[in-house]
Amino acid sequence: MLNFNPFTRDPDIYKKILIGGLLALIGVGFIPLAGWRLEAISRNIREDDPLLPEWDDFGKYIIDGLKVLGLNLIWFSPLILLIIIISVLIIVFQGRFASQDDLALAIVVLNLCTIALTFAYILPVLVLIIPAYGILADGGTFSEAVNPKNAYRILRADLGGFVVAGLLGMLTTWILSAIGTLLCFVGVYLAYPAIYGIIGQLYGKAYRQAQPKLAENDPGLGQTA
C-alpha cells in the first residue's frame, strides 16, 4: 500500500522536509503543517503517484490547518470534558476521604475508568476521522466533514482499507518518531513532515479506493453528501 516514489524521485524532497521540520519546531507551525498534510491527502485522492506538496500556498495551508484543528477539537472534546470532570471530582472530594490510602485508591480507580473509556472512544474515532479528513481534502465543507454520519458512510464502504491505513499510519509515526529521537531528538521535528507525507498517501488512497464501493452502496449520492 505504501509507495516511496514521492520521496525518492522528488528533487525538492529535502527542502520540503526541512521547511516542514522548521515549522514543527515552532509550536504554531503545526497548523500550516496540518494543512500541508491535507493537501497531501488531496493529491493522493486525485492521483495515483503524486509528489509531496510544495510550500507555495502558505495561506491555504493555514486555513486548512485550522479546519483540521477544529475538526479534531470537536471530535475529541468528549475526552477533554471527561478529563476535566475527573480532575474536578478529585479536587472536590479529596478532603472527604478518611485517609490518604483511600484517596489514592479512589484516584487509581478513576484513572483506570478514564483509561478504559478513553480507549473505547478514541480507537473508533481514530479510524472514523480518516474519511472525515478525506471529505475536507476532497473539497467538502467543514460542516460536512465534522458530521460523523458522512464520515461513517464512507468508512462503511471500505472499512478494511481505512483500518489498514490507520494502522500503517500509527506504525509509521512510531517508527519515524523513534528514529528521530535517536538522532539527537531534533530529528523528531524533521520526522513530522515525512510522517505527514506518508499519512497523506495512506489516507488519500484509502479514501479514493472507497469511492467505487460507496457509489455501489449509495447510488446517486455525491462523495461528501
Side-chain angles (χ1 to χ4, degrees):
M1 192 173 186
L2 278 175
N3 180 4
F4 292 100
N5 284 342
F7 294 88
T8 58
R9 64 182 178 85
D10 190 337
D12 296 324
I13 183 64
Y14 297 113
K15 181 182 74 174
K16 294 175 181 178
I17 295 295
L18 180 59
I19 293 173
L22 290 174
L23 287 170
L25 187 60
I26 307 169
V28 294
F30 274 99
I31 293 176
L33 195 56
W36 184 79
R37 180 184 63 175
L38 198 67
E39 175 61 24
I41 296 173
S42 177
R43 289 183 174 212
N44 281 276
I45 290 174
R46 300 192 306 267
E47 306 175 38
D48 184 48
D49 190 20
L51 298 178
L52 293 179
E54 298 285 349
W55 285 101
D56 56 356
D57 202 349
F58 205 77
K60 179 179 183 297
Y61 295 156
I62 291 176
I63 294 173
D64 287 345
L66 289 172
K67 291 179 182 179
V68 171
L69 177 62
L71 176 65
N72 290 339
L73 286 175
I74 291 172
W75 279 32
F76 289 101
S77 58
L79 285 182
I80 299 173
L81 181 61
L82 175 64
I83 293 172
I84 292 174
I85 291 174
I86 295 298
S87 301
V88 170
L89 287 175
I90 292 174
I91 294 172
V92 170
F93 291 102
Q94 64 179 346
R96 301 189 180 185
F97 290 91
S99 65
Q100 289 296 317
D101 290 339
D102 291 340
L103 175 61
L105 178 60
I107 292 174
V108 169
V109 172
L110 285 173
N111 284 336
L112 289 175
C113 291
T114 302
I115 292 171
L117 290 172
T118 297
F119 274 99
Y121 180 83
I122 203 171
L123 290 178
V125 169
L126 286 176
V127 178
L128 187 62
I129 207 168
I130 297 175
Y133 290 151
I135 292 172
L136 279 178
D138 200 27
T141 64
F142 180 78
S143 61
E144 289 171 336
V146 81
N147 187 340
K149 290 182 179 180
N150 295 326
Y152 176 72
R153 183 171 57 82
I154 300 171
L155 174 69
R156 188 179 57 186
D158 189 11
L159 176 60
F162 285 110
V163 170
V164 170
L167 290 175
L168 287 176
M170 286 189 289
L171 183 62
T172 298
T173 301
W174 292 335
I175 292 175
L176 292 185
S177 296
I179 294 174
T181 302
L182 293 176
L183 297 176
C184 300
F185 190 73
V186 70
V188 173
Y189 298 103
L190 294 175
Y192 275 110
I195 291 169
Y196 282 7
I198 293 174
I199 285 177
Q201 180 185 139
L202 292 168
Y203 289 8
K205 287 188 175 181
Y207 184 91
R208 187 180 72 222
Q209 291 168 2
Q211 295 309 306
K213 300 177 183 179
L214 177 63
E216 294 175 4
N217 295 340
D218 297 313
L221 289 178
Q223 291 182 345
T224 60

